[in-house]
Amino acid sequence: GENVEQHPSTLSVQEGDSAVIKCTYSDSASNYFPWYKQELGKRPQLIIDIRSNVGEKKDQRIAVTLNKTAKHFSLHITETQPEDSAVYFCAASSEGKLIFGQGTTLQVKP
Amino acid sequence: DGGITQSPKYLFRKEGQNVTLSCEQNLNHDAMYWYRQDPGQGLRLIYYSQIVNDFQKGDIAEGYSVSREKKESFPLTVTSAQKNPTAFYLCASIASRANTEAFFGQGTRLTVV
């Protein structure tokens, strides 16, 4: 079955710096890769997603890249702000089965 | 007001008792999921269902059971066979098998006392 590995588990950056979170997946049939943000005490919410026929997608300060050959995808946040502090989860979907990574706790220091 | 609702928010159970967590959605979504969230372990898939009267085991199904008798409802039973049931449980729904956004409930925190 699918296995998703996410790194790092914690990430601390200064406000204005960039943050990068990386994930690898095992099932070559996976074709959808969403990223979720979970603020403290709240439910996870989708921030960006990418499908397997696309290599990169950008939405304002966030971007996701996908390398199907290497089976890894990454989340890039530029110009980080304190409100970006949260837990971020990557996920991979194959045939409707949605598997999440272990999560990255991002702290943005003012 | 459309959405996905989990109840209760907090649940306490004595060891050896079964307990059922509720998940209801009025989004007309086909697929529903149950995840367990523990610190440092992300969201681990317990069970999922893509159509009514059908469901599949996830990675940590042992000690749990589900049913999908109605499209709107996907209750999770934590049985006494689950060795470490204290956790935060999240339910989610997705519109269809075509990969789209998952919407999450607010979660149920289960504590075994």
Side-chain angles (χ1 to χ4, degrees):
Chain A
E2 176 67 280
N3 183 49
V4 178
E5 295 288 334
Q6 182 172 347
H7 299 282
S9 57
T10 60
L11 180 60
S12 181
V13 300
Q14 289 294 134
E15 182 177 359
D17 288 351
S18 295
V20 180
I21 302 170
K22 298 181 178 182
C23 290
T24 60
Y25 61 98
S26 60
D27 187 353
S28 56
S30 291
N31 55 6
Y32 175 65
F33 307 91
W35 287 87
Y36 286 80
K37 175 183 181 182
Q38 186 179 28
E39 297 178 347
L40 191 62
K42 296 188 176 181
R43 68 192 78 185
Q45 292 196 307
L46 181 73
I47 55 171
I48 195 167
D49 58 12
I50 191 167
R51 288 172 171 77
S52 58
N53 58 346
V54 176
E56 184 174 358
K57 183 177 179 180
K58 189 174 183 179
D59 183 3
Q60 299 183 350
R61 294 187 297 109
I62 60 173
V64 58
T65 59
L66 171 65
N67 183 327
K68 286 192 298 181
T69 302
K71 296 182 188 172
H72 68 71
F73 56 113
S74 301
L75 178 72
H76 304 252
I77 306 175
T78 59
E79 301 172 16
T80 54
Q81 301 167 4
E83 51 265 39
D84 294 329
S85 296
V87 179
Y88 291 81
F89 294 99
C90 64
S93 178
S94 173
E95 296 290 323
K97 187 177 183 182
L98 185 61
I99 300 298
F100 285 82
Q102 297 86 347
T104 296
T105 300
L106 173 64
Q107 182 186 27
V108 180
K109 299 178 181 177
Chain B
D1 186 25
I4 180 166
T5 302
Q6 290 184 242
S7 61
K9 189 173 182 180
Y10 299 96
L11 190 56
F12 295 88
R13 184 195 102 177
K14 291 184 178 179
E15 279 193 33
Q17 290 181 339
N18 293 354
V19 63
T20 298
L21 282 58
S22 170
C23 179
E24 303 277 334
Q25 53 97 0
N26 60 5
L27 300 167
N28 199 32
H29 284 177
D30 291 315
M32 297 186 73
Y33 301 75
W34 274 105
Y35 292 93
R36 171 178 171 144
Q37 185 172 19
D38 297 286
Q41 299 195 56
L43 304 175
R44 292 185 292 167
L45 181 63
I46 304 172
Y47 270 98
Y48 65 110
S49 167
Q50 298 187 73
I51 56 172
V52 175
N53 293 322
D54 189 40
F55 48 83
Q56 290 79 38
K57 292 182 179 179
D59 297 330
I60 57 165
E62 185 176 351
Y64 300 98
S65 66
V66 294
S67 63
R68 188 84 186 278
E69 298 176 358
K70 298 185 300 182
K71 188 176 185 178
E72 314 82 62
S73 179
F74 191 42
L76 173 73
T77 297
V78 184
T79 75
S80 56
Q82 169 51 233
K83 300 302 180 187
N84 185 22
T86 295
F88 187 61
Y89 291 88
L90 280 164
C91 179
S93 69
I94 295 177
S96 70
R97 292 180 65 181
N99 300 308
T100 56
E101 179 178 1
F103 289 84
F104 284 85
Q106 72 273 36
T108 293
R109 184 165 298 281
L110 173 64
T111 303
V112 175
V113 297

